[in-house]
């Protein structure tokens, strides 16, 4: 799977391959990357736009075209698209009645689609959002993020695509989408994790004879590991859990049997029959039973079940014709005992894992000489110092993120910093301004735009002459960045996010500004950020993707918080080198 992806521009290359395989159907825009349907139904007055991390194909791109979506924004592997992709795709696809965003409930997706929607409204384009949150494994009162969005997204996109082609308005489509989401629940299991392209091994290990129950589509560990039951018993257990969580409603249901990437059609077809029998035995009418791979987790060996209670007319929307790369299978005829089902062929998925290599380790940096640090003046020195540090710790941040999420954080952070260095080199942009530009406009995922907001405010603290920013200016910038991140993402200290390092650093700088300033305010702020970041190891995450793995995250410091601490360490090292906490040098970063 991940062994044969191109070394560069893998997602863009795969998008071009999809267009090549379906001539005349898809237009690929490379900068920023998004795909548009060439042949929209003339009756459609509202554009449907969706997207998310790559690696889930045929999700999103497979439903691009008549009866489906107008535009799709693919992010990097398991990382959300950035807001500029979504904004430009939506602006290009917008119709007279506006744009509807279909968003899976992941923090990065929600934030980036939210920012794009604000930009569209500023341009006068009507926009609304349907948030898909169907995964009952993450239905917990302890989580501020709520249920994840998973395979029910396929049901939402298909039904809304058919309704849009019938001329439904933005308000009608929004209401329909939210009703479909409310009537849907999903649960997933895995016998083997997806392959990590970094290690070329499964992203986490399962003992022989066990399954992870309640896994996520980004390779997140399940809510529990169970002894592997017989398949019929497993389907019965999953059905019971789904029906317990599914709101009351009609007895007619759509049942989606979804492969997670490495599960064969033979298995999915058999599971479809078992699920049909379980539903029928409970007095439900499985009007539509649909097996196939629709929402993959790269090459994970597992499957998910989705149930949707069908209101009047929804079955007709599902069976309405489409002209999309994904050819949905004809529903199982439940009027007689199904002897077999026709399963969808998988659309060519192009993705590689940024998986979760689970172990009990956590990363720390050993004190070392900073003689090799870039030394300069002002803003550019900070960019160079932070770039060196991020390069050194990238792999360790990735390993930490693999323990609590999908493992993309190290690559996203390093990629954004590289873009900033390139921008500064080519255009002469100030270092922190280059960081802000790169992370706001070109880095997806949850962390990209949030770090962009922080860099944007820090850039305002840098004097125009390139000199050192004052402690007062940095205090104001840190406070403003913290406030902006809270407004967009909602995180507060204690949620186990980057805010747990940023808030104490901002408070330390504010205290230095408002009282007799200490000799080294940046050093104290860096130390406060370090303490806050390390303390996240004892927190149960309430926001971000780590919130989905529950107690599995305990003992692991939040990678975003560590990256914030490293930023303040870099600031202190540039401006207060005599007292600053020592930064790591290559070869001195250990994994315990």
């Amino acid at each position: 799977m991940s062994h044969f992806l191109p070394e560069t521009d893998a997602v863009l290359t795969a998008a071009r391959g999809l267009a090549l395989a379906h001539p005349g159907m898809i237009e690929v825009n490379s900068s920023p990357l998004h795909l548009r349907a060439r042949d929209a139904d003339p009756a459609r007055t509202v554009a449907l736009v969706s997207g998310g991390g790559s690696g889930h194909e045929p999700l999103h791109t497979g439903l691009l075209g008549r009866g489906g979506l107008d535009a799709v924004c693919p992010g990097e592997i398991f990382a959300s698209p950035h807001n500029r992709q979504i904004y430009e795709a939506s602006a290009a696809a917008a119709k007279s009645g506006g744009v509807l965003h279909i968003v899976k409930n992941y923090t990065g997706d929600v934030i980036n689609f939210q920012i794009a929607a604000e930009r569209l409204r500023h341009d006068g384009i009507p926009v609304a959002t349907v948030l898909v949150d169907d995964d009952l494994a993450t239905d917990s009162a302890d989580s501020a993020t709520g249920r994840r969005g998973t395979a029910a997204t396929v049901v939402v996109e298909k039904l809304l695509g058919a309704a849009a082609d019938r001329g439904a308005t933005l308000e009608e489509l929004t209401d329909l989408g939210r009703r479909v989401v409310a009537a849907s629940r999903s649960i997933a299991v895995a016998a083997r994790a997806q392959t990590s392209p970094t290690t070329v091994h499964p992203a986490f290990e399962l003992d022989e004879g066990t399954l992870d129950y309640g896994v996520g589509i980004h390779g997140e560990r399940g809510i529990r590991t169970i002894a592997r039951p017989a398949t019929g018993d497993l389907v019965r257990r999953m059905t019971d859990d789904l029906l317990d969580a599914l709101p009351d409603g009609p007895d007619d249901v759509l049942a989606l049997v979804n492969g997670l990437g490495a599960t064969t059609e033979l298995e999915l077809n058999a599971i479809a029959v078992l699920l049909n029998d379980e539903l029928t035995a409970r007095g439900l009418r499985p009007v539509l039973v649909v097996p196939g791979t629709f929402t993959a987790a790269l090459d994970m060996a597992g499957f998910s079940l989705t149930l949707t209670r069908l209101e009047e007319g929804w079955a007709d929307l599902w069976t309405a014709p489409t002209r999309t790369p994904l050819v949905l299978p004809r529903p199982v005829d439940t009027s007689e005992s199904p002897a077999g089902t026709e399963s969808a062929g998988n659309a060519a998925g192009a993705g590689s894992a940024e998986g979760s290599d689970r172990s009990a380790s956590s990363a720390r940096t050993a004190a070392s000489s900073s003689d090799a640090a870039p030394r300069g003046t002002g803003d550019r020195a900070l960019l160079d110092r932070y770039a060196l540090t991020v390069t050194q710790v990238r792999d360790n941040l990735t390993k930490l993120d693999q323990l609590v999420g999908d493992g993309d954080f190290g690559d996203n952070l390093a990629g954004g910093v590289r873009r900033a260095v390139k921008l500064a080199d080519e255009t002469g942009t100030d270092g922190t301004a280059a960081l802000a530009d790169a992370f706001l406009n070109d880095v997806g995922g949850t962390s990209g735009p949030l770090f962009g907001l922080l860099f944007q405010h820090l850039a305002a603290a840098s004097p125009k002459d390139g000199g050192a920013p004052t402690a007062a200016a940095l205090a104001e910038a840190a406070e403003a960045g913290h406030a902006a991140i809270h407004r967009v993402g909602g995180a507060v200290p204690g949620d186990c996010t980057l805010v747990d390092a940023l808030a104490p650093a901002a408070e330390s700088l504010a205290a230095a500004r408002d009282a007799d300033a200490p000799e080294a305010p940046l050093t104290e702020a860096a130390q406060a950020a370090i303490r806050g970041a390390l303390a996240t190891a004892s927190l149960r995450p309430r926001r971000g993707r780590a919130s989905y793995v529950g107690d599995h995250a305990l003992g692991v410091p939040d990678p975003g918080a560590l990256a914030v601490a490293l930023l303040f360490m870099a600031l202190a090292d540039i401006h207060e080198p005599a007292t600053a906490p020592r930064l790591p040098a290559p070869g001195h970063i250990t994994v315990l």
Side-chain angles (χ1 to χ4, degrees), residues 538-561:
S538 64
L539 297 175
R540 192 178 193 277
R542 296 189 68 251
R543 291 186 183 273
R545 197 162 286 161
S547 65
Y548 301 134
V549 301
D551 290 344
H552 283 297
L554 292 175
V556 182
D558 180 71

PDB file of all heavy atoms in Angstrom, residues 538-561:
ATOM      1  N   SER A 538      -0.455  13.960  32.135  1.00  0.00           N
ATOM      2  CA  SER A 538      -1.344  13.464  33.190  1.00  0.00           C
ATOM      3  C   SER A 538      -2.805  13.789  32.915  1.00  0.00           C
ATOM      4  O   SER A 538      -3.670  13.469  33.730  1.00  0.00           O
ATOM      5  CB  SER A 538      -0.943  14.063  34.543  1.00  0.00           C
ATOM      6  OG  SER A 538      -1.112  15.476  34.534  1.00  0.00           O
ATOM      7  N   LEU A 539      -3.082  14.420  31.770  1.00  0.00           N
ATOM      8  CA  LEU A 539      -4.450  14.849  31.472  1.00  0.00           C
ATOM      9  C   LEU A 539      -5.150  13.848  30.557  1.00  0.00           C
ATOM     10  O   LEU A 539      -4.527  13.239  29.684  1.00  0.00           O
ATOM     11  CB  LEU A 539      -4.447  16.221  30.787  1.00  0.00           C
ATOM     12  CG  LEU A 539      -3.887  17.389  31.595  1.00  0.00           C
ATOM     13  CD1 LEU A 539      -3.846  18.643  30.724  1.00  0.00           C
ATOM     14  CD2 LEU A 539      -4.730  17.639  32.837  1.00  0.00           C
ATOM     15  N   ARG A 540      -6.444  13.700  30.743  1.00  0.00           N
ATOM     16  CA  ARG A 540      -7.262  12.942  29.791  1.00  0.00           C
ATOM     17  C   ARG A 540      -7.785  13.946  28.756  1.00  0.00           C
ATOM     18  O   ARG A 540      -8.541  14.855  29.103  1.00  0.00           O
ATOM     19  CB  ARG A 540      -8.436  12.269  30.499  1.00  0.00           C
ATOM     20  CG  ARG A 540      -9.152  11.226  29.638  1.00  0.00           C
ATOM     21  CD  ARG A 540     -10.272  10.558  30.427  1.00  0.00           C
ATOM     22  NE  ARG A 540     -10.773   9.377  29.751  1.00  0.00           N
ATOM     23  CZ  ARG A 540     -11.678   9.396  28.769  1.00  0.00           C
ATOM     24  NH1 ARG A 540     -12.160  10.560  28.362  1.00  0.00           N
ATOM     25  NH2 ARG A 540     -12.093   8.275  28.207  1.00  0.00           N
ATOM     26  N   PRO A 541      -7.387  13.833  27.491  1.00  0.00           N
ATOM     27  CA  PRO A 541      -7.725  14.856  26.491  1.00  0.00           C
ATOM     28  C   PRO A 541      -9.231  15.048  26.340  1.00  0.00           C
ATOM     29  O   PRO A 541      -9.994  14.085  26.318  1.00  0.00           O
ATOM     30  CB  PRO A 541      -7.108  14.308  25.206  1.00  0.00           C
ATOM     31  CG  PRO A 541      -6.049  13.372  25.655  1.00  0.00           C
ATOM     32  CD  PRO A 541      -6.560  12.763  26.920  1.00  0.00           C
ATOM     33  N   ARG A 542      -9.639  16.312  26.212  1.00  0.00           N
ATOM     34  CA  ARG A 542     -11.046  16.649  25.994  1.00  0.00           C
ATOM     35  C   ARG A 542     -11.284  17.242  24.623  1.00  0.00           C
ATOM     36  O   ARG A 542     -12.428  17.345  24.187  1.00  0.00           O
ATOM     37  CB  ARG A 542     -11.534  17.624  27.066  1.00  0.00           C
ATOM     38  CG  ARG A 542     -11.516  17.049  28.492  1.00  0.00           C
ATOM     39  CD  ARG A 542     -12.217  17.973  29.465  1.00  0.00           C
ATOM     40  NE  ARG A 542     -13.650  18.043  29.199  1.00  0.00           N
ATOM     41  CZ  ARG A 542     -14.281  19.090  28.700  1.00  0.00           C
ATOM     42  NH1 ARG A 542     -13.595  20.190  28.369  1.00  0.00           N
ATOM     43  NH2 ARG A 542     -15.573  19.088  28.498  1.00  0.00           N
ATOM     44  N   ARG A 543     -10.252  17.663  23.949  1.00  0.00           N
ATOM     45  CA  ARG A 543     -10.397  18.218  22.602  1.00  0.00           C
ATOM     46  C   ARG A 543      -9.298  17.660  21.718  1.00  0.00           C
ATOM     47  O   ARG A 543      -8.311  17.112  22.185  1.00  0.00           O
ATOM     48  CB  ARG A 543     -10.345  19.755  22.613  1.00  0.00           C
ATOM     49  CG  ARG A 543     -11.547  20.386  23.277  1.00  0.00           C
ATOM     50  CD  ARG A 543     -11.544  21.898  23.144  1.00  0.00           C
ATOM     51  NE  ARG A 543     -12.670  22.486  23.837  1.00  0.00           N
ATOM     52  CZ  ARG A 543     -13.874  22.670  23.303  1.00  0.00           C
ATOM     53  NH1 ARG A 543     -14.091  22.336  22.047  1.00  0.00           N
ATOM     54  NH2 ARG A 543     -14.853  23.197  24.012  1.00  0.00           N
ATOM     55  N   GLY A 544      -9.496  17.855  20.416  1.00  0.00           N
ATOM     56  CA  GLY A 544      -8.515  17.353  19.470  1.00  0.00           C
ATOM     57  C   GLY A 544      -8.660  15.854  19.265  1.00  0.00           C
ATOM     58  O   GLY A 544      -9.451  15.171  19.918  1.00  0.00           O
ATOM     59  N   ARG A 545      -7.871  15.317  18.335  1.00  0.00           N
ATOM     60  CA  ARG A 545      -8.000  13.910  17.994  1.00  0.00           C
ATOM     61  C   ARG A 545      -7.615  12.990  19.150  1.00  0.00           C
ATOM     62  O   ARG A 545      -8.103  11.877  19.261  1.00  0.00           O
ATOM     63  CB  ARG A 545      -7.147  13.615  16.753  1.00  0.00           C
ATOM     64  CG  ARG A 545      -7.507  12.324  16.089  1.00  0.00           C
ATOM     65  CD  ARG A 545      -6.970  12.283  14.671  1.00  0.00           C
ATOM     66  NE  ARG A 545      -7.766  13.140  13.814  1.00  0.00           N
ATOM     67  CZ  ARG A 545      -7.352  13.599  12.643  1.00  0.00           C
ATOM     68  NH1 ARG A 545      -6.148  13.302  12.203  1.00  0.00           N
ATOM     69  NH2 ARG A 545      -8.131  14.353  11.894  1.00  0.00           N
ATOM     70  N   ALA A 546      -6.746  13.464  20.050  1.00  0.00           N
ATOM     71  CA  ALA A 546      -6.363  12.629  21.186  1.00  0.00           C
ATOM     72  C   ALA A 546      -7.553  12.329  22.086  1.00  0.00           C
ATOM     73  O   ALA A 546      -7.551  11.334  22.807  1.00  0.00           O
ATOM     74  CB  ALA A 546      -5.251  13.308  21.991  1.00  0.00           C
ATOM     75  N   SER A 547      -8.598  13.179  22.045  1.00  0.00           N
ATOM     76  CA  SER A 547      -9.763  12.931  22.895  1.00  0.00           C
ATOM     77  C   SER A 547     -10.475  11.648  22.516  1.00  0.00           C
ATOM     78  O   SER A 547     -11.241  11.093  23.310  1.00  0.00           O
ATOM     79  CB  SER A 547     -10.737  14.109  22.807  1.00  0.00           C
ATOM     80  OG  SER A 547     -11.281  14.224  21.498  1.00  0.00           O
ATOM     81  N   TYR A 548     -10.226  11.154  21.307  1.00  0.00           N
ATOM     82  CA  TYR A 548     -10.920   9.957  20.847  1.00  0.00           C
ATOM     83  C   TYR A 548     -10.309   8.668  21.411  1.00  0.00           C
ATOM     84  O   TYR A 548     -10.924   7.616  21.311  1.00  0.00           O
ATOM     85  CB  TYR A 548     -10.911   9.885  19.319  1.00  0.00           C
ATOM     86  CG  TYR A 548     -11.554  11.076  18.641  1.00  0.00           C
ATOM     87  CD1 TYR A 548     -10.940  11.696  17.563  1.00  0.00           C
ATOM     88  CD2 TYR A 548     -12.757  11.580  19.093  1.00  0.00           C
ATOM     89  CE1 TYR A 548     -11.521  12.791  16.937  1.00  0.00           C
ATOM     90  CE2 TYR A 548     -13.341  12.676  18.479  1.00  0.00           C
ATOM     91  CZ  TYR A 548     -12.720  13.270  17.403  1.00  0.00           C
ATOM     92  OH  TYR A 548     -13.297  14.349  16.787  1.00  0.00           O
ATOM     93  N   VAL A 549      -9.109   8.736  21.937  1.00  0.00           N
ATOM     94  CA  VAL A 549      -8.481   7.503  22.415  1.00  0.00           C
ATOM     95  C   VAL A 549      -8.560   7.364  23.932  1.00  0.00           C
ATOM     96  O   VAL A 549      -8.074   6.386  24.499  1.00  0.00           O
ATOM     97  CB  VAL A 549      -7.011   7.406  21.945  1.00  0.00           C
ATOM     98  CG1 VAL A 549      -6.940   7.445  20.438  1.00  0.00           C
ATOM     99  CG2 VAL A 549      -6.149   8.511  22.549  1.00  0.00           C
ATOM    100  N   GLY A 550      -9.167   8.351  24.608  1.00  0.00           N
ATOM    101  CA  GLY A 550      -9.451   8.222  26.026  1.00  0.00           C
ATOM    102  C   GLY A 550      -8.214   7.981  26.863  1.00  0.00           C
ATOM    103  O   GLY A 550      -7.196   8.674  26.753  1.00  0.00           O
ATOM    104  N   ASP A 551      -8.270   6.941  27.690  1.00  0.00           N
ATOM    105  CA  ASP A 551      -7.188   6.660  28.633  1.00  0.00           C
ATOM    106  C   ASP A 551      -5.902   6.226  27.940  1.00  0.00           C
ATOM    107  O   ASP A 551      -4.836   6.224  28.571  1.00  0.00           O
ATOM    108  CB  ASP A 551      -7.627   5.586  29.627  1.00  0.00           C
ATOM    109  CG  ASP A 551      -8.685   6.098  30.605  1.00  0.00           C
ATOM    110  OD1 ASP A 551      -8.833   7.332  30.706  1.00  0.00           O
ATOM    111  OD2 ASP A 551      -9.351   5.270  31.241  1.00  0.00           O
ATOM    112  N   HIS A 552      -5.983   5.828  26.669  1.00  0.00           N
ATOM    113  CA  HIS A 552      -4.759   5.482  25.935  1.00  0.00           C
ATOM    114  C   HIS A 552      -3.791   6.678  25.880  1.00  0.00           C
ATOM    115  O   HIS A 552      -2.591   6.499  25.694  1.00  0.00           O
ATOM    116  CB  HIS A 552      -5.085   5.048  24.505  1.00  0.00           C
ATOM    117  CG  HIS A 552      -5.616   3.652  24.401  1.00  0.00           C
ATOM    118  ND1 HIS A 552      -4.885   2.540  24.750  1.00  0.00           N
ATOM    119  CD2 HIS A 552      -6.815   3.192  23.972  1.00  0.00           C
ATOM    120  CE1 HIS A 552      -5.603   1.453  24.550  1.00  0.00           C
ATOM    121  NE2 HIS A 552      -6.784   1.815  24.080  1.00  0.00           N
ATOM    122  N   ALA A 553      -4.328   7.908  26.021  1.00  0.00           N
ATOM    123  CA  ALA A 553      -3.481   9.100  25.933  1.00  0.00           C
ATOM    124  C   ALA A 553      -2.772   9.429  27.242  1.00  0.00           C
ATOM    125  O   ALA A 553      -1.847  10.247  27.242  1.00  0.00           O
ATOM    126  CB  ALA A 553      -4.322  10.302  25.493  1.00  0.00           C
ATOM    127  N   LEU A 554      -3.208   8.820  28.340  1.00  0.00           N
ATOM    128  CA  LEU A 554      -2.578   9.128  29.622  1.00  0.00           C
ATOM    129  C   LEU A 554      -1.111   8.696  29.615  1.00  0.00           C
ATOM    130  O   LEU A 554      -0.774   7.600  29.163  1.00  0.00           O
ATOM    131  CB  LEU A 554      -3.335   8.429  30.747  1.00  0.00           C
ATOM    132  CG  LEU A 554      -4.756   8.952  31.017  1.00  0.00           C
ATOM    133  CD1 LEU A 554      -5.450   8.102  32.053  1.00  0.00           C
ATOM    134  CD2 LEU A 554      -4.709  10.411  31.449  1.00  0.00           C
ATOM    135  N   GLY A 555      -0.257   9.564  30.130  1.00  0.00           N
ATOM    136  CA  GLY A 555       1.173   9.299  30.134  1.00  0.00           C
ATOM    137  C   GLY A 555       1.910   9.840  28.928  1.00  0.00           C
ATOM    138  O   GLY A 555       3.142   9.768  28.880  1.00  0.00           O
ATOM    139  N   VAL A 556       1.174  10.399  27.958  1.00  0.00           N
ATOM    140  CA  VAL A 556       1.792  10.907  26.735  1.00  0.00           C
ATOM    141  C   VAL A 556       1.611  12.421  26.675  1.00  0.00           C
ATOM    142  O   VAL A 556       0.471  12.902  26.638  1.00  0.00           O
ATOM    143  CB  VAL A 556       1.167  10.264  25.478  1.00  0.00           C
ATOM    144  CG1 VAL A 556       1.853  10.774  24.219  1.00  0.00           C
ATOM    145  CG2 VAL A 556       1.238   8.747  25.564  1.00  0.00           C
ATOM    146  N   PRO A 557       2.688  13.200  26.680  1.00  0.00           N
ATOM    147  CA  PRO A 557       2.529  14.659  26.555  1.00  0.00           C
ATOM    148  C   PRO A 557       2.003  15.038  25.181  1.00  0.00           C
ATOM    149  O   PRO A 557       2.297  14.381  24.182  1.00  0.00           O
ATOM    150  CB  PRO A 557       3.950  15.190  26.776  1.00  0.00           C
ATOM    151  CG  PRO A 557       4.848  14.056  26.444  1.00  0.00           C
ATOM    152  CD  PRO A 557       4.099  12.802  26.801  1.00  0.00           C
ATOM    153  N   ASP A 558       1.204  16.086  25.137  1.00  0.00           N
ATOM    154  CA  ASP A 558       0.600  16.518  23.880  1.00  0.00           C
ATOM    155  C   ASP A 558       1.661  17.079  22.937  1.00  0.00           C
ATOM    156  O   ASP A 558       2.408  17.998  23.308  1.00  0.00           O
ATOM    157  CB  ASP A 558      -0.456  17.585  24.147  1.00  0.00           C
ATOM    158  CG  ASP A 558      -1.113  18.058  22.872  1.00  0.00           C
ATOM    159  OD1 ASP A 558      -1.876  17.276  22.291  1.00  0.00           O
ATOM    160  OD2 ASP A 558      -0.830  19.198  22.457  1.00  0.00           O
ATOM    161  N   PRO A 559       1.758  16.570  21.700  1.00  0.00           N
ATOM    162  CA  PRO A 559       2.792  17.055  20.771  1.00  0.00           C
ATOM    163  C   PRO A 559       2.654  18.539  20.448  1.00  0.00           C
ATOM    164  O   PRO A 559       3.662  19.243  20.323  1.00  0.00           O
ATOM    165  CB  PRO A 559       2.578  16.190  19.523  1.00  0.00           C
ATOM    166  CG  PRO A 559       1.866  14.979  20.008  1.00  0.00           C
ATOM    167  CD  PRO A 559       1.006  15.431  21.143  1.00  0.00           C
ATOM    168  N   GLY A 560       1.414  19.029  20.305  1.00  0.00           N
ATOM    169  CA  GLY A 560       1.229  20.445  20.019  1.00  0.00           C
ATOM    170  C   GLY A 560       1.723  21.332  21.133  1.00  0.00           C
ATOM    171  O   GLY A 560       2.323  22.385  20.908  1.00  0.00           O
ATOM    172  N   ALA A 561       1.464  20.913  22.374  1.00  0.00           N
ATOM    173  CA  ALA A 561       1.955  21.682  23.516  1.00  0.00           C
ATOM    174  C   ALA A 561       3.478  21.687  23.547  1.00  0.00           C
ATOM    175  O   ALA A 561       4.113  22.715  23.855  1.00  0.00           O
ATOM    176  CB  ALA A 561       1.391  21.102  24.816  1.00  0.00           C
TER     177      ALA A 561
END
